[in-house]
Amino acid sequence: WAVLETPHLRVHYYAQEESLARGLTAFAESVAVEFDRRFAMAPRKKIPLLLYSTHHLFQQTNATPEMLSESTGGLTELIKGRVLVPHNGSWTRLRWVTRHELTHAYMLEKLAQVMKAHHKPQNWLPPLWFIEGLAEYCGTTWDADAEGLLRDMVVSRIALPLTRSEAITGSVLMYKEGQSFVLWLAERYGERRIFELLEN
């Protein structure tokens, strides 16, 4: 591995992928600067970001003990807070996955700082639909595909209240239901309210 450092990140990459890594590093650092403002905090230490030049290499990682499927687009592991991002040839997808996974890293850091400040145990997480909904909200815009998926869920009567979403846990349906809720919350009460949830 070779490493590129920025004020917020330590980007690890295979040395032969330096051009790809430099492009991603500049983008990821700009996202981190944006997230400092949105989350109203800065990480206490640099976020380790592991860049894989192919999805196949990403699936073979030993940075997490779990097996990664072909459908796993990226990963933020909970113990060391490492962000794992594969490149599949699409810069659009790489930017989306990077924003999504950095949202997880920032949310974990924000919760750790808030819980520590209030002398609470630091092993609490919000429901998965909120975690992934927030990451989708910060990672991508609501588009025609998302709108069509959610409308189809409603028309087909498979949409579930978020409080009873166990049946769709981990699926794209849950991600988009969560994103839809966070989007509604931002439109109704202002984006600041979303991040105030993490502060309270």
Side-chain angles (χ1 to χ4, degrees):
W1 291 95
V3 178
L4 287 170
E5 291 200 41
T6 70
H8 291 86
L9 305 164
R10 281 181 52 86
V11 178
H12 301 257
Y13 63 97
Y14 294 127
Q16 62 270 28
E17 301 295 341
E18 184 173 355
S19 176
L20 173 64
R22 287 194 180 279
L24 178 69
T25 300
F27 172 75
E29 177 63 20
S30 71
V31 172
V33 169
E34 173 194 336
F35 284 2
D36 282 355
R37 179 187 52 77
R38 288 178 102 173
F39 284 83
M41 60 118 220
R44 292 171 288 191
K45 57 185 182 178
K46 293 183 181 190
I47 299 169
L49 190 154
L50 284 66
L51 172 63
Y52 298 88
S53 57
T54 68
H55 201 279
H56 178 69
L57 292 171
F58 167 67
Q59 283 184 268
Q60 294 179 7
T61 186
N62 63 1
T64 179
E66 63 193 77
M67 297 291 291
L68 300 178
S69 72
E70 289 182 14
S71 64
T72 304
L75 177 77
T76 301
E77 56 100 16
L78 297 175
I79 297 172
K80 295 183 179 178
R82 292 179 288 196
V83 172
L84 286 66
V85 178
H87 183 47
N88 72 353
S90 166
W91 271 100
T92 300
R93 181 174 173 78
L94 183 62
R95 286 189 292 268
W96 160 48
V97 171
T98 300
R99 289 183 66 86
H100 180 105
E101 297 304 332
L102 283 175
T103 301
H104 289 323
Y106 266 78
M107 187 201 70
L108 291 171
E109 177 68 19
K110 179 74 171 185
L111 290 174
Q113 288 185 22
V114 167
M115 298 305 255
K116 184 176 181 182
H118 292 282
H119 309 290
K120 302 276 185 186
Q122 295 184 35
N123 58 351
W124 178 85
L125 289 173
L128 187 59
W129 63 260
F130 181 82
I131 292 170
E132 297 299 351
L134 178 64
E136 284 292 280
Y137 173 81
C138 292
T140 187
T141 57
W142 188 259
D143 59 14
D145 289 340
E147 184 71 23
L149 178 68
L150 205 60
R151 285 176 185 259
D152 185 56
M153 289 172 64
V154 171
V155 170
S156 303
R157 298 179 189 265
I158 59 172
L160 298 168
L162 290 169
T163 55
R164 292 191 294 114
S165 63
E166 298 84 21
I168 59 171
T169 293
S171 72
V172 69
L173 304 177
M174 183 207 68
Y175 281 51
K176 291 306 173 184
E177 273 199 21
Q179 182 185 8
S180 176
F181 171 78
V182 174
L183 187 61
W184 171 83
L185 186 67
E187 288 175 351
R188 177 128 187 203
Y189 299 104
E191 183 179 80
R192 186 69 224 133
R193 291 290 189 203
I194 299 166
F195 299 99
E196 287 176 357
L197 286 173
L198 299 177
E199 293 167 4
N200 292 281

